[in-house]
Amino acid sequence: MRTIHSIAIILLCLFLLTGCWDKSELVEFGYVQAVAFDKTKAGKLKLTTLFFKPTGGSEGSEAGKQSGPRSFTIQSEAYTVFEAIRDISLHFGRKAKWDHMRVILINEKVLQQRDIGDIMDFFARDHEPRGTALVLATKGEAADYLKVKPIIESTLGEQLRSLEIAATRYSAKSIHSSLLDLSIQLHSEVGIALLPYIQLSKKTEELSASGISIIKGGKQVSSLSPTKVQQLLMLTNQFKEGSIEIPCGKGNDKVKDGLEVLSAKTKTATFIQKDSLTVKFNTKITGTVSEMHCSSIVTREDESAFKERIRKAVEQEFLDLIDELQTKRLDAIGIGNKIFAKHPAVWKRWRENWDERFDLATFECHVEIQLLHTGVNVGKPYSEYKEK
C-alpha cells in the first residue's frame, strides 16, 4: 500500500512540473542593444533601434569573420513610442526583445520640445526593459551615434554604457543616470532630473561623455559644462574620483597645479528661521599632488599655503555653481528634497513657490583639504629639481 501511495505522489508531481507548451523560439526575437530617439519634420518620433546580430561562431573563428558586423539598425516612425516599436516588425520580421538593452539615446531637441515622460512611459511600464539601462542626451542626431563602431566592447550598446560609467567614475565630468534614477528624480519633490550628455566628433568619429542636461517639468531647460559637473557631484556627495586644477596666476591661466582627488565627502545642513533659509556645505577633500608647475611644498608652511590655494579655489567654484543655479532657479542640488525629508510641514508651505525661495536662499561653503603626499621625494616642480 505504501508503494502505491508513493507512486501516486510521484505521478501527481509530474503534472505540476512546468512545460514548454507556450515556448517561443530564439529565431522569433531580435535582441535590442540600444535605441535612439529623434524627431521628424512632420513631428513624429523617429526610433532607431540597434540589434545584436549573432555571428554563429566565436569572435576569432572563421565563422565569426564571415558573418560581418555584429549589430545592425532598424528605423521606424510614429507619433507614439509603442507604435514605433510595434512597427519594427514591419521592417525586421522579428519581435524586439528589450531584456538586454543597455542605453537609450535622446536627441536634445526632442528633450527641449517633448515631455520626457511621454518617451519613458513605455520603458517604465513594460516588464522587459531593465531599470539599469542608461538614459543619455545627445548633441545632434541620436541615430548617428548608433553608426559608430565600438572601440573595445563587442557591441556599441555596451561601449556607450562603459563610456558613461567610466566618465562618471574617473573624471567626474558626467553623471550616472539609469531608468530607475530618472524615474526617482522626476517624481521627487523638486522634480528636476539630470541626464549625462554624450557627444560625437565629426572629425574623428569618436564618442565622448561630458556635461549634463537639466530636465524640469519634463523638458530640458538648461545644461551644465563638464567642469561644473565636478562641483555638482561634490556638493551632492556623488563624487568618486577626479582632479582639481588651480591656475598659477601671474597672467597665465593655462599653467596650473593639479590635485588628484581620491575622495570628496560633503555634509549638507539646512537652517530655517521663520521664512528664511540658510544652507551650509562642509566638504572634506582628500588627495595627492598630480602636477606641480608653480608651487613648492618643502616645508609645512608651503604645504599649508598650497592647501589654502586649493580651498579658496574650490569654495569659489562651489559658489559660482550655486549662483548660476539660483539665477536659473534650478534646484539641481536637491535642497528641496532635503527640506521635505527633514521639515515636511515647512515644505508643505514652501513647495508652491520653491523656485523663488531657492533663489533667495543663503549658501555657505566650507572646504577642508587633506594632502596625503606630493607623489615624489621632494615637493618641487620636476623642472626645478636637481639632485645635488
Side-chain angles (χ1 to χ4, degrees), residues 1 49 55 64 97 112 124 174 283 304:
M1 183 65 69
T49 310
T55 60
K97 201 83 166 66
Q112 292 166 1
S174 184
T283 304
S304 297

Side-chain angles (χ1 to χ4, degrees), residues 260 287-292 297 371-379:
E260 180 184 4
T288 63
V289 176
S290 57
E291 283 187 290
M292 189 176 291
I297 305 178
L371 189 63
L372 298 182
H373 56 78
T374 61
V376 292
N377 293 329
V378 292

